[in-house]
Amino acid sequence: MTPMSDQKPYLLRAIYQWLVDNDCTPHLIIAYPNKGWVSGVPEHLLQDEQLVLNISPSASPDCQIENDAVYFSTRFSGQPHRVAVAMPAIAALLARENNQGSWFELAPDVAEGPKNSPIKEEKKAAADKSKASHLKIVK
C-alpha cells in the first residue's frame, strides 16, 4: 500500500474557505515559531512558543496554503513582509470571532525545529540578499 500524503494542508484549505465563507477572520496558530519554522516575521514576534497570525483575505490577500507551507504577504508596523510558515509547525486554524476551526496534532520533535524545510532555504536566500549592497554606481 502506498503511503498517504499529509492531510493537514487539505484540511487547512477547507477550514480556511469555510471560515471566510462564514465571514470569520482566520487566525493561524503556529507552534515554536522561534525554532526556524517561520520566515518573514519580525524577530521580536518570534520570542514566544506560540504565534498567532491573521491570514484573512483583507490582511493577507495572496494567502496560499501549499502542501509544504503557508505563504502570504502582510504588514507588520506598516512594513510589508512576505511570510512563510512550514506545515509541521501549524498547530491550528481558528476563527477570531468564535474559535471555530481545528487544532492539529504536532510531531513530537517539532520543538527541536526543522531539519530540512523550505523555510530554512527561504531564510538563507533572504539573508544572502540582505547582505548585498543597496548602493548603485552612478556615472
Side-chain angles (χ1 to χ4, degrees):
M1 185 165 140
T2 12
M4 301 278 291
S5 59
D6 185 14
Q7 63 180 311
K8 187 189 293 187
Y10 299 92
L11 295 172
L12 280 172
R13 286 188 281 269
I15 294 165
Y16 177 85
Q17 192 61 55
W18 174 66
L19 293 175
V20 170
D21 287 351
N22 284 281
D23 296 321
C24 292
T25 309
H27 280 194
L28 198 61
I29 290 71
I30 302 147
Y32 306 103
N34 55 345
K35 299 294 184 179
W37 295 109
V38 179
S39 72
V41 173
E43 288 296 319
H44 72 277
L45 297 175
L46 300 177
Q47 301 310 310
D48 296 328
E49 288 187 0
Q50 191 175 56
L51 176 65
V52 179
L53 295 174
N54 176 353
I55 60 167
S56 68
S58 60
S60 314
D62 64 345
C63 182
Q64 295 178 314
I65 302 172
E66 302 292 338
N67 289 346
D68 61 341
V70 175
Y71 302 94
F72 57 95
S73 297
T74 194
R75 292 183 170 273
F76 295 103
S77 301
Q79 297 297 315
H81 292 264
R82 182 75 183 142
V83 177
V85 180
M87 199 55 66
I90 296 174
L93 181 59
L94 304 173
R96 176 182 64 198
E97 294 79 4
N98 56 21
N99 282 329
Q100 291 290 306
S102 186
W103 285 89
F104 300 99
E105 189 174 329
L106 297 173
D109 62 349
V110 74
E112 296 171 19
K115 290 164 187 57
N116 295 318
S117 165
I119 305 307
K120 268 189 171 179
E121 296 305 314
E122 206 165 290
K123 275 188 165 183
K124 184 176 184 268
D128 291 345
K129 187 177 181 182
S130 70
K131 289 178 188 174
S133 175
H134 65 280
L135 300 176
K136 184 178 177 181
I137 298 174
V138 179
K139 294 183 181 183

